[in-house]
């Protein structure tokens, strides 16, 4: 790798590693430590292929590695136990929407891994349906149906909680 490639990779790492960690925490529903391992794995692959992917979209490449590894890891576990989330790195402690964010993260935890990945990529990461489909290796129709079903489950759970509370 040339010095120019090394410098460009260092810039990419400084600019996007926090965003990748946030994505890993949200998509995989794992502890911060597990999410950091996923990001490290993705960044190692990005580094190995940097000269080839530098001109394309290295962030999308890294995000796809994180998402695929998170989904594969969830598939390997036969029983998904309660998952603890670390607070996403960009959360301000004095945010007025902190309770809402915590509620949404709890609801995301309840969803199957692929559905959770669709919702995080589509709405939290603000990806288009096409980009989300490409990252997950599925059709746009699958993204639309998984997003609709996931949002419906979250709404249903939140409405049930409102009824119980009062």
């Amino acid at each position: 790798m040339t010095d120019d490639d090394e410098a460009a990779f260092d810039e990419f790492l400084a600019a996007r590693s926090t965003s990748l960690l946030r994505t890993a925490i949200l998509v995989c529903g794992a502890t911060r430590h597990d999410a950091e391992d996923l990001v490290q794995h993705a960044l190692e692959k990005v580094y190995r292929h940097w000269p080839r992917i530098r001109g394309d979209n290295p962030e999308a490449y890294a995000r796809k590695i994180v998402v695929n590894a998170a989904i594969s890891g969830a598939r390997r576990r036969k029983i998904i136990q309660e998952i603890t989330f670390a607070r996403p790195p960009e959360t301000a402690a004095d945010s007025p929407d902190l309770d809402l964010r915590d509620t949404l993260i709890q609801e995301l935890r309840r969803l199957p891994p692929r559905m959770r990945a669709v919702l995080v990529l589509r709405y939290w990461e603000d990806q288009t349906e096409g980009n989300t489909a490409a990252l997950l290796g599925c059709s746009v129709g699958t993204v639309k149906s998984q997003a609709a079903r996931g949002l419906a489950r979250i709404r249903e759970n939140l409405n049930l909680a409102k009824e119980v509370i009062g």
Side-chain angles (χ1 to χ4, degrees):
M1 194 179 310
T2 66
D3 288 342
D4 189 39
D5 284 337
E6 289 278 347
F9 178 77
D10 288 343
E11 279 182 39
F12 167 76
L13 185 63
R16 304 312 309 156
S17 60
T18 301
S19 174
L20 287 170
L21 179 59
R22 180 187 67 231
T23 300
I25 290 169
L26 293 169
V27 170
C28 72
T31 64
R32 183 179 178 97
H33 177 75
D34 291 339
E36 288 171 347
D37 287 346
L38 283 176
V39 171
Q40 181 66 33
H41 170 73
L43 290 174
E44 287 171 7
K45 284 191 170 191
V46 168
Y47 183 80
R48 278 195 309 249
H49 300 285
W50 185 255
R52 180 176 53 85
I53 65 170
R54 176 183 176 188
D56 292 331
N57 189 348
E59 182 180 4
Y61 183 81
R63 187 180 291 125
K64 185 171 186 170
I65 294 168
V66 167
V67 169
N68 288 341
I71 291 171
S72 294
R75 283 184 186 144
R76 281 191 291 265
R77 292 186 296 269
K78 292 187 187 243
I79 299 173
I80 299 177
Q81 298 173 345
E82 184 175 336
I83 300 168
T84 58
F85 271 78
R87 184 156 318 283
E90 298 171 352
T91 300
D94 57 351
S95 172
D97 294 334
L98 196 55
D99 289 335
L100 175 60
R101 181 180 292 235
D102 288 342
T103 301
L104 288 173
I105 289 173
Q106 287 174 348
E107 291 304 320
L108 281 172
R109 283 186 212 149
R110 294 176 153 183
L111 299 176
R114 193 160 180 90
M115 189 178 288
R116 181 172 52 236
V118 166
L119 290 177
V120 169
L121 291 172
R122 181 73 180 95
Y123 300 109
W124 205 296
E125 294 293 324
D126 201 26
Q127 296 292 314
T128 65
E129 290 168 342
N131 286 347
T132 302
L135 286 168
L136 295 175
C138 63
S139 70
V140 172
T142 300
V143 169
K144 289 179 180 182
S145 66
Q146 290 291 299
R149 289 180 186 140
L151 291 173
R153 281 190 193 180
I154 289 173
R155 283 187 200 107
E156 182 180 323
N157 289 339
L158 291 176
N159 287 335
L160 288 174
K162 283 181 184 177
E163 289 175 15
V164 170
I165 292 172

